[in-house]
Amino acid sequence: MISDRLAETGRREAAGAAQASVSGGSVGDYIALLKPRVMSLVVFTALVGMVIAPGHVNPVLGFASLLAIAIGAGASGCLNMWWDADIDAVMTRTAKRPIPAGRIAPGEALAFGITLSVGSVLVLGLASNWFAAAFLAFTIFFYAVVYTMWLKRATPQNIVIGGAAGAFPPMIGEAAVTGHVSLDGLVLFAIIFLWTPPHFWALALVKAGDYARAGVPMMPNVAGPDATRRQIMLYTLLLAPAGLAPVALGFGGAVYATVAGVTGLGMVALAWRVLRRREGEAAVKAAQQLFAFSILYLFLLFATLLAEQSLGFGSLFAGWGR
């Protein structure tokens, strides 16, 4: 399957060679290939992973490590767009991306993604350690190959299993500082992992038609909207207490406990609303509200951890998880 896609890319490139000898894509198009909004989330969560890690890191090397992680995330997004160009072309929210819109050729995107992948791993290995670099390489492979090329089109559990790739950055950030991953990093992973299904399935409830046209087996299209709503509720009930775990482990303080508790209850309330409102505009609005709030929820949790660690606030149960 992968070899067929590579052959298809080669044929497209050969057909386009007679029309143009250089790329028609702008700098903005190449930046769009990196999925900058996803990159920003990766950078943010990886930074928190670095900050909670014990010990200190040279600021220059720390910045280089964070930049390498960001580039690795961008490379994953680029390879994802290269492979998914066919389904992006039939989905309204993705049809204007650089490849389906014809501004960047598939082969150029593939070469760009591979170059960034290799470069990011090498830079992280040289700036920090090769364990972190190997972890980054595995994450790129997991997102680009396991999720994009296999899970996304094969199972409605694509977001659940594939969501691990988006949850790895805090662990990579911690590994860049310490050379290993601790329970603290695993907890941050768990929070993002449990957050991913309610976040994306809320969007999928609204965009079910898009996914159906593209042939992507998202949960609402396979199991139905009602089953998806129950799954959203289940994962949210697991997420809310998981969000409080940093407090018990000693790297979340009183402010974090308050933020995680209040916003966790907010997530549960909105998930309950999605479960109860199943028809018409009320159902669409409930899903949109959960999707929007879930972004704020994750940002507030990690921003509060970052602030507490940076300002040296004491934790409620210091030493419990150390």
Side-chain angles (χ1 to χ4, degrees):
M1 184 178 181
I2 295 176
S3 60
D4 292 342
R5 183 60 64 88
L6 290 169
E8 178 186 347
T9 297
R11 288 193 293 270
R12 291 180 182 177
E13 288 298 288
Q19 299 179 11
S21 59
V22 295
S23 172
S26 66
V27 173
D29 289 327
Y30 279 94
I31 292 175
L33 284 178
L34 306 181
K35 295 190 175 183
R37 284 188 293 182
V38 176
M39 277 182 67
S40 63
L41 176 62
V42 167
V43 171
F44 186 45
T45 57
L47 176 60
V48 174
M50 295 176 75
V51 170
I52 68 164
H56 300 281
V57 63
N58 180 284
V60 175
L61 295 179
F63 176 80
S65 298
L66 197 61
L67 180 62
I69 295 171
I71 294 173
S76 299
C78 182
L79 294 172
N80 171 269
M81 284 199 187
W82 162 70
W83 186 264
D84 280 351
D86 57 334
I87 62 177
D88 283 348
V90 300
M91 296 179 65
T92 55
R93 71 183 185 90
T94 58
K96 294 183 179 180
R97 285 176 171 177
I99 301 175
R103 298 192 301 274
I104 292 180
E108 293 171 340
L110 174 60
F112 189 47
I114 292 175
T115 301
L116 292 181
S117 297
V118 174
S120 64
V121 171
L122 290 176
V123 169
L124 186 58
L126 294 171
S128 60
N129 59 79
W130 292 106
F131 173 78
F135 203 161
L136 178 61
F138 172 75
T139 302
I140 295 171
F141 171 82
F142 192 90
Y143 184 77
V145 177
V146 177
Y147 168 69
T148 300
M149 297 182 184
W150 174 37
L151 294 172
K152 185 172 183 179
R153 306 186 191 213
T155 171
Q157 295 295 322
N158 47 22
I159 287 301
V160 179
I161 306 170
F168 285 143
M171 300 168 69
I172 301 173
E174 182 186 23
V177 176
T178 65
H180 65 270
V181 175
S182 71
L183 183 58
D184 295 353
L186 287 170
V187 164
L188 296 184
F189 166 87
I191 291 172
I192 302 174
F193 183 80
L194 293 172
W195 168 87
T196 301
H199 170 72
F200 278 102
W201 283 341
L203 177 65
L205 285 171
V206 178
K207 300 292 184 179
D210 255 2
Y211 288 113
R213 284 191 298 274
V216 178
M218 291 297 285
M219 186 66 72
N221 304 98
V222 176
D226 289 347
T228 302
R229 291 183 173 95
R230 290 192 293 270
Q231 290 287 315
I232 287 174
M233 189 74 241
L234 173 62
Y235 275 97
T236 304
L237 289 174
L238 295 173
L239 172 64
L244 289 167
V247 180
L249 289 177
F251 64 97
V255 176
Y256 177 84
T258 302
V259 171
V262 172
T263 57
L265 289 175
M267 284 288 294
V268 171
L270 289 173
W272 177 255
R273 185 177 297 176
V274 168
L275 181 65
R276 301 295 295 173
R277 298 182 179 180
R278 304 188 176 193
E279 295 182 0
E281 186 61 30
V284 173
K285 186 176 180 181
Q288 289 174 330
Q289 287 176 337
L290 175 59
F291 175 76
F293 185 79
S294 67
I295 299 173
L296 178 64
Y297 169 81
L298 194 68
F299 170 77
L300 287 176
L301 258 59
F302 278 78
T304 305
L305 281 175
L306 182 61
E308 285 188 334
Q309 294 292 326
S310 300
L311 297 175
F313 290 174
S315 62
L316 288 180
F317 304 107
W320 278 30
R322 303 290 178 176

